[in-house]
Amino acid sequence: MAGPRPLGPLIHSFFADHLITVKGLRPASVRSYRDTIRLLLCFTASDKHAKITRLSVEDLTFDRVLGFLRYLEHDRGNHARTRNQRLAALHTLFGYIASREPQMLGTCQQVAAIPAKRAAPAQTRFLERDEVEALFRSLPRKGRLALRDRALLLFLYNTGARVQEAADLRAGHLDLGEYPLARLHGKGGKWRTCPLWRHTAQLLSELLGPPDTTPAPDTPVFRSATGQPLTRFGIYKIVRRHAGHLDDTRTRRRVSPHIFRHTAAVHLLEAGVEVNVIRGWLGHADLTTTNRYAEINTKAKIEALRNTEPPGTSGGTPRSPRLADRRGAAQLAVITLTVMWPVTGG
């Protein structure tokens, strides 16, 4: 009978061959898998009272996986959403193990059958329109990094880009001509195109250098003081420096780059933009992800209530329910002009 098979080569091939080469995951996604598997290996080694370097494939038992999930919730205090995220990574890992070690198929099938726990979705927080206006009015206009910071914040709000998408933005991804566009490289290696406001395009053009120069296509758009591409954490620090004062302890809102993504979605929805358009704008794979913004759009609900008030009440004559239809595509221009006023100085 063959002896225990070392776990190291299998884990290495899972990352190098499967996640990176086959699935083509982004570095941030690979790090998420790394963190989950690191925790699993540490838990398994502790449970077996052995060194991590001595673990074998057979040590990854179904009971240990269940114990690991309990450990995440009870010992580490992880929320059910975090537990479900870790479980999804384990499902991927054990699916790969089943394809490489057929004798482990029974265990892998048991792990695959572990269900995710019910968990309420994370509350979506965003900035109100007047808060966005006040933020852009307060941004410094002078200083070595003032242009970069203003362009970055406006880009996040304009496109609803994920922080990694902004960090990965290169000059070759921009078309700053008559109809300015930005191509964003999102999750799953998918690309999408977002229109840019003219003022956003103007700031990006100034950021990339004098008008008579053409930057190389791989030139990072958002750079540090030393000229290196900004990292996710670097962008986070810029957002916190300029918008941290907009934190709301009452609603537990802490302003981060992702807040601008939620804000862009809610403001587009308030302007009457169709949900499917917003889905494509943000790069959501599933429409249900976009639909959550409709649930939190209190202003739209109040407007709908006013529109259906009966004649003779304090609300006056109800407006036509097709008002939004008559606005049509002009809503994008409305939101652009509304937001650009404080940015351009009115």
Side-chain angles (χ1 to χ4, degrees), residues 32-286:
S32 178
Y33 278 95
R34 176 203 64 190
D35 293 342
T36 297
I37 294 175
R38 177 181 60 82
L39 290 172
L40 174 66
L41 295 180
C42 289
F43 173 84
T44 302
S46 175
D47 186 64
K48 189 185 176 184
H49 304 289
K51 293 182 178 180
I52 290 181
T53 53
R54 303 300 298 272
L55 293 179
S56 65
V57 177
E58 290 80 6
D59 292 327
L60 298 182
T61 65
F62 175 65
D63 288 337
R64 282 208 173 101
V65 172
L66 291 180
F68 172 65
L69 295 174
R70 287 193 296 267
Y71 160 76
L72 291 178
E73 290 190 88
H74 301 154
D75 291 40
R76 293 182 62 87
N78 287 170
H79 191 276
R81 287 192 299 270
T82 304
R83 179 258 191 199
N84 290 344
Q85 182 184 25
R86 304 291 192 199
L87 176 60
L90 295 183
H91 283 164
T92 303
L93 171 64
F94 278 82
Y96 178 75
I97 292 175
S99 69
R100 296 293 299 270
E101 302 286 347
Q103 60 273 38
M104 289 282 293
L105 180 60
T107 297
C108 295
Q109 288 176 327
Q110 288 179 301
V111 173
I114 300 176
K117 283 195 170 184
R118 286 182 174 271
Q123 186 173 352
T124 302
R125 298 177 175 86
F126 60 96
L127 299 173
E128 297 289 351
R129 191 73 60 81
D130 57 346
E131 293 177 311
V132 174
E133 293 175 353
L135 169 62
F136 282 106
R137 277 197 298 264
S138 68
L139 290 179
R141 295 182 178 274
K142 296 181 180 180
R144 186 162 58 111
L145 300 176
L147 174 62
R148 181 204 65 183
D149 293 358
R150 178 177 290 270
L152 173 62
L153 294 181
L154 188 57
F155 179 82
L156 291 174
Y157 179 44
N158 184 160
T159 63
R162 300 178 179 93
V163 63
Q164 189 63 54
E165 294 170 346
D168 291 342
L169 189 68
R170 298 296 183 262
H173 301 159
L174 297 174
D175 180 355
L176 303 179
E178 184 178 0
Y179 302 102
L181 301 168
R183 294 181 65 242
L184 302 178
H185 192 198
K187 288 184 176 180
K190 296 179 181 178
W191 291 85
R192 72 181 187 280
T193 300
C194 284
L196 298 176
W197 297 319
R198 292 200 176 277
H199 192 65
T200 308
Q202 177 186 342
L203 292 179
L204 292 174
S205 181
E206 294 176 15
L207 188 63
L208 288 172
D212 56 344
T213 62
T214 302
D218 60 349
T219 300
V221 176
F222 301 114
R223 289 160 285 179
S224 67
T226 60
Q228 298 300 310
L230 283 177
T231 63
R232 294 160 55 98
F233 184 61
I235 293 175
Y236 174 82
K237 288 198 298 183
I238 292 171
V239 169
R240 291 299 303 161
R241 180 164 65 248
H242 294 297
H245 65 283
L246 294 173
D247 289 351
D248 189 340
T249 55
R250 180 179 58 85
T251 61
R252 294 185 176 181
R253 183 185 70 190
R254 181 175 173 83
V255 179
S256 67
H258 213 70
I259 287 287
F260 284 86
R261 181 171 169 82
H262 294 322
T263 301
V266 172
H267 290 184
L268 285 169
L269 190 65
E270 289 177 352
V273 179
E274 205 268 333
V275 173
N276 253 319
V277 176
I278 300 175
R279 171 182 168 273
W281 192 296
L282 299 181
H284 287 156
D286 192 341

